[in-house]
Amino acid sequence: MASDPSSDPYFKKRVALTLGGETLEFEVAHTLFASHEVDAGTKLLLRCIEVNEAPRRILDLGCGYGVLGIALARRFPEAQVTMADCNLLAVRYARRNAARNGATNAQATGSVALEDIPEGAYDLIVANVPAKIGDTAIEAEFVRGPRARLAPGGAYWFVAVSGLNHLLKRLAGQGGVPVRQVRKRSGHTVCRLEA
């Protein structure tokens, strides 16, 4: 589906991301997260993700306009990538950006967290955790929920703003969730959870 920004009243601009020698271009709407440029936390997460073998099923939870999911769809062209967001405008732009970047193996769907995600387990789940939804929702919908949907041997990689470090420490301690902090930089923390 080719997009015509001039016919879209929400269109703001295009932003670029260069990763692994490849430049991806994303159309962005005025009201979407990181509408000025690709978020620093997203860039950091993409640089940190490591896998032992190519994933078959990938989930980008809270995908926004699709940066994580599309970059991973390009990196792993044999994988089936599901991008999900509760914001339907974000879903629209994720679809457009998948087409723009030739990520034919990526689909976007509307879903409040995991509510309407296709059934089954995922080898790789990624998220840029939305800090403003509150600790209870983050714990349930962006930590415990995704971990439960991992395939055996799968991994959940996510990035959170440093203001959420208190929650991550609590979950790793008293919460009994094996959150492993991988890297801290630029006000963000990248974490990994395994199945």
Side-chain angles (χ1 to χ4, degrees), residues 82-93:
T82 299
M83 302 181 291
D85 203 288
C86 65
N87 182 323
L88 294 182
L89 184 61
V91 172
R92 177 196 292 181
Y93 272 77

Side-chain angles (χ1 to χ4, degrees), residues 133-142 167 170:
I133 64 173
D135 288 3
T136 302
I138 291 169
E139 180 177 348
E141 307 278 47
F142 281 87
L167 174 62
R170 181 177 61 76

Side-chain angles (χ1 to χ4, degrees), residues 45-194:
L45 178 58
L46 284 168
R47 288 193 304 270
C48 289
I49 294 172
E50 297 174 2
V51 297
N52 293 328
E53 58 183 67
R56 294 179 309 280
R57 293 186 80 205
I58 299 172
L59 172 62
D60 176 3
L61 188 59
C63 68
Y65 51 86
V67 176
L68 289 170
I70 292 166
L72 291 170
R74 298 288 302 193
R75 180 175 168 186
F76 302 108
E78 300 300 317
Q80 174 191 0
V81 179
T82 299
M83 302 181 291
D85 203 288
C86 65
N87 182 323
L88 294 182
L89 184 61
V91 172
R92 177 196 292 181
Y93 272 77
R95 288 176 179 156
R96 287 167 57 154
N97 288 324
R100 164 173 286 285
N101 290 288
T104 57
N105 57 327
Q107 293 80 37
T109 188
S111 180
V112 175
L114 296 165
E115 196 171 290
D116 293 311
I117 298 298
E119 291 296 319
Y122 292 84
D123 304 300
L124 176 62
I125 301 176
V126 296
N128 186 335
V129 176
K132 295 181 181 179
I133 64 173
D135 288 3
T136 302
I138 291 169
E139 180 177 348
E141 307 278 47
F142 281 87
V143 177
R144 294 185 187 277
R147 182 171 183 239
R149 294 294 298 271
L150 286 173
Y156 174 35
W157 288 81
F158 64 92
V159 64
V161 293
S162 294
L164 294 176
N165 285 346
H166 72 281
L167 174 62
L168 300 176
K169 286 178 186 173
R170 181 177 61 76
L171 290 172
Q174 300 165 327
V177 180
V179 176
R180 183 170 68 98
Q181 292 187 8
V182 176
R183 185 172 298 162
K184 288 184 181 182
R185 184 178 293 164
S186 307
H188 295 89
T189 303
V190 172
C191 297
R192 177 184 168 132
L193 278 171
E194 296 179 354

